[in-house]
Structures are given as structure tokens and as C-alpha cells.
Amino acid sequence: MTERSTIEGTGVEALEQVLERFGSDRTRWPAPVRRDFAGLLTSSAEAKARLREAEALDRLLDLAPEPEIDTRALADRIVAAAAAERPAVAPPEIRAAGATGARAAATRIEWPAAALLAASLVLGMFVGLNGTFDTAVAPLVARVSADADIDPGQIAFGSEGLDMFEEDLL
Amino acid sequence: MRAGPWPDAPEDRVLLARVARQDAQAFRILVDRHLGAIVALARRMLKDEAEADDVAQEALLRLWRAGETLDVGPHGLRPWLRRVTSNLCLDRIRATRRTVVTDEVPEVAEPPTQAQGLEDQDLARRVGEAMNALPERQRRALTLFHHEGLSQAEVGEVLGVSDEAVESLLSRARRALRASLEKDWKALLQSEG
């Protein structure tokens, strides 16, 4: 509990200082002090007597009346504040409704995405099977190759890209 | 320090289970049962009634918000609330670097609930008077350390003094009480044989 102290010595006089400062409850003494006086409290009748006296004084102190405070208005305020707060734990029916709502919201978000994905898949298959782009690209490649004596691979990769491609092959 | 399980701990646990299910009635019972103690602690630490009330409210609302996740530990709800309250107070003290304490919270004696019988009530009254006769800082140091269970370092933070100064305040307070209550603690020792 307590962090340190300035007690010097380990005799009965030093013990009296400890008892005055920290009381009779040895769990409240700093650990080194507890250790230093453990032997004395076991072996010395005088030390034991001082400890019993301190215990009696502490029991008297426990009888000290607490100050009277009228807390009725404050209690009303606290209970009202608690009632105004959102419950910490939602009742089961609210939790269940919340979960259903969350699922419904997720469903609402997922449907358009799934529809778009399916549509793009169908479109891709349709274009691929029809050869729409084959007919558009092939004449273009042929014309450019004829005009400029360009390797058709350069149309796709550019000159630098082709160099890199060739280096990789080497 | 009033250590160990709080006497109402078993009842508190039943009420806590209801509070976890957002039972406002159970929460009200716990508020009525523990609010006085934590307000007293907060006022001792902060010396500002409005701020102390806010801290007590926050501590109890944490209990309400925790729901089923709350674990108050083996000693029950009262020590848990005291710890939450003292931590909240220390946070405020650190934030404002409050070091100077000048005013005094009026302390009015209440009928003791722990003492049994007229003789014990009389004894409690004498102890209260002896405590009130201490210089304010000695009384605060002793109350925070002994009754509220704060560490020496925490008491130093609250009072804005060093560890050594806390030790000195505690020593002088206990020495004075040992002298002023000598008849009583000796009688207590004799009665125990």
C-alpha cells in the first residue's frame, strides 16, 4: 500500500514509530518495514504488547462516526440520469431485431453488386463467343503493320516493352 | 481501515444481478445504500461539494453502465465503489493540480450505525470528538489513510504534500489520539483479557 518510509532501526522504539505512522494493520506497512519487523514481532513480548495497543486504538478509530450528508436529491438525480441513458445491455427482443435489421441492410447492399457481376459475366461471354473484338482489332493491326513496317508485337508492348521482352528471352 | 467483505455484500450481489438486467428499482436501492459513503469520501478528498457530488454520480453511473460485465471482486460493492470514487477524485486532483486546501467541510455527527448499544454510542461519540479535536490536516490524513484506505502516496497527492509529510501527519494524529483516548483503548484491551 505504502511505497516507502523513513523508519530507522528495528527495535521496539522503531516499531512504535511504525505503529504511529501506519497503524496496526501490517498489510498497510511498506514491504521492507514489514520484513524488518517480522522477527521482532515474533520474538519480543514488548513488541507484541505495542502491537496489541495499536490494534485497540485502530478498533476505536473504526467507531468514528461518518459525517451525515443528505443525499436524497443527489440520489434522485443519479437514478434519473441512469434512466435517461441507453441500456447497457439490450433486451433479447431488441438484440434479435437488431440482428435481423443488420442482415436486411447487408442484403440490400449485396443485391446490386451481385446483379452487376452477373451482367458483366454474361456480356463477357457474349462478346467472346461472337468474336466482336476479333473483327475490330485484326484489320487495325494489319493496316498499321503494312504502313510502318512495324512488328505487330510493338503495337501491344511499345518499343521499350519489346526490348525488355526480348532481353528476357535471351 | 474498514477492511474485509462489506456486511451487505451478499444482498448487494443479488441487487447487482438485477442491476445488470437494467432493473432501476434495484439500482435505486444500491444508490440509497452506498451514496452517503462515497459522497463523504469524495468530499474529504476534493473539498468541493458540487464536484464531489459529480464524482459520486459518475461512480454510480459506471455501475449502471457496466451491466453484466461488472466484477466487484471478493470484498463486494462498497470497496469497489470506494476505489472507483477515489480514483475519480485523484484524476480530478491531478488535472487541476490542486495542492492548497483551505476550507473545511462541515462534519455533523450522525447516530452511529456500527456501534451497538448506548455504551458503544457513547464511545463512538468520544472517538468522534477526539478526531474533531485534531488539526484539520492531521484529521484528513488519518481519515484518508485509515478509514478510506488510500495509500500514503495517494494521501500525499490529495493533500499536496510529500510522503514524509504524510508520515509526520499520521504520526502526530495517532499520537494525539492515543493520548486523548487512552482510557478507552486500555479498557478495550482489558475487556479482551
Side-chain angles (χ1 to χ4, degrees):
Chain A
M1 281 288 200
T2 47
E3 289 70 24
R4 60 201 176 94
S5 87
T6 53
I7 302 290
E8 288 180 7
T10 54
V12 173
E13 275 186 28
L15 175 67
E16 284 173 355
Q17 287 180 40
V18 172
L19 293 169
E20 279 181 354
R21 289 179 194 184
F22 308 117
S24 64
D25 181 356
R26 277 175 278 178
T27 63
R28 308 292 315 278
W29 296 6
V33 173
R34 222 165 32 229
R35 197 173 51 240
D36 291 347
F37 288 92
L40 183 72
L41 285 167
T42 310
S43 60
S44 165
E46 197 182 348
K48 286 177 189 170
R50 295 289 91 78
L51 180 64
R52 277 198 302 274
E53 289 171 11
E55 285 169 347
L57 180 62
D58 280 352
R59 278 201 296 283
L60 283 183
L61 296 185
D62 286 344
L63 297 177
E66 287 190 357
E68 186 180 19
I69 300 167
D70 186 354
T71 55
R72 281 171 298 183
L74 178 59
D76 291 343
R77 193 175 95 190
I78 292 170
V79 172
E85 288 197 357
R86 197 166 58 88
V89 181
E93 62 274 17
I94 294 176
R95 283 205 299 270
T100 309
R103 274 198 299 276
T107 307
R108 281 195 298 274
I109 293 165
E110 284 164 7
W111 265 113
L116 275 173
L117 187 66
S120 64
L121 188 65
V122 169
L123 182 66
M125 288 173 67
F126 176 78
V127 168
L129 290 172
N130 274 355
T132 307
F133 287 106
D134 288 350
T135 53
V137 173
L140 177 67
V141 171
R143 196 173 66 219
V144 170
S145 302
D147 289 351
D149 193 23
I150 295 172
D151 183 343
Q154 280 182 303
I155 297 170
F157 294 108
S159 56
E160 289 176 9
L162 194 61
D163 292 344
M164 286 167 64
F165 188 66
E166 286 170 347
E167 280 169 13
D168 284 346
L169 286 176
L170 292 171
Chain B
M1 183 173 60
R2 288 163 187 148
W6 183 251
D8 291 336
E11 272 182 59
D12 281 354
R13 288 185 193 282
V14 174
L15 291 165
L16 277 172
R18 288 171 54 192
V19 169
R21 298 192 298 272
Q22 302 294 296
D23 182 332
Q25 248 184 338
F27 182 63
R28 175 77 207 208
I29 296 169
L30 288 177
V31 169
D32 288 340
R33 183 174 290 176
H34 297 289
L35 182 59
I38 62 172
V39 168
L41 168 60
R43 287 186 184 182
R44 280 171 180 149
M45 291 183 72
L46 296 173
K47 305 290 284 179
D48 180 315
E49 289 189 22
E51 208 175 354
D53 288 0
D54 287 348
V55 163
Q57 174 168 336
E58 177 57 26
L60 283 160
L61 286 178
R62 283 188 182 192
L63 170 69
W64 174 254
R65 291 176 196 134
E68 290 168 352
T69 62
L70 181 68
D71 178 10
V72 296
H75 294 307
L77 181 59
R78 177 66 66 92
W80 182 86
L81 279 171
R82 279 184 182 277
R83 182 45 57 186
V84 170
T85 303
S86 63
N87 285 342
L88 288 169
C89 289
L90 285 172
D91 287 347
R92 290 187 180 224
I93 288 166
R94 285 170 192 147
T96 58
R97 299 194 181 281
R98 188 194 312 261
T99 54
V100 180
V101 175
T102 52
D103 57 337
E104 174 70 5
V105 174
E107 292 193 0
V108 182
E110 67 172 347
T113 53
Q114 296 184 344
Q116 298 297 314
L118 289 174
E119 200 174 316
D120 282 350
Q121 284 182 25
D122 195 37
L123 183 57
R125 182 187 53 76
R126 286 200 299 279
V127 173
E129 284 172 359
M131 294 274 295
N132 286 335
L134 292 173
E136 188 215 341
R137 288 168 80 77
Q138 288 182 30
R139 182 173 63 253
R140 285 193 75 204
L142 187 67
T143 303
L144 293 171
F145 184 84
H146 180 82
H147 294 100
E148 304 296 358
L150 268 61
S151 71
Q152 185 181 331
E154 287 170 335
V155 174
E157 257 190 283
V158 172
L159 299 182
V161 298
S162 66
D163 281 4
E164 289 76 15
V166 172
E167 288 187 2
S168 171
L169 288 168
L170 290 172
S171 287
R172 283 183 281 154
R174 271 211 175 80
R175 207 177 303 143
L177 290 171
R178 186 180 154 88
S180 60
L181 295 169
E182 186 174 3
K183 268 174 61 180
D184 292 311
W185 64 257
K186 282 187 172 173
L188 197 60
L189 273 179
Q190 279 178 350
S191 70
E192 291 171 350

